[in-house]
Amino acid sequence: MPTLDNIKLGYAPKTLAYNLIYNQSDGPWLAMFRRAAFQGQVEAAMEEAQKGYDRIFAEAQA
């Protein structure tokens, strides 16, 4: 998983979208975590989150 390649180094990619992805209460990361952890739908949660990441990154680069 590319986003975790440098986790041991404490690295987080710099992007204006970071807050929207990870810190928003309705962002894709937290939604993914909740669905995977509490509903056991890991693969579906990851696929849904990826769509959210792609949308946010596209908007941030526009």
Side-chain angles (χ1 to χ4, degrees), residues 18-38:
Y18 185 88
N19 190 52
L20 294 172
I21 292 173
Y22 296 105
N23 295 330
Q24 293 281 108
S25 60
D26 61 344
W29 187 89
L30 190 54
M32 176 187 66
F33 177 82
R34 287 178 177 149
R35 186 172 181 183
F38 299 115

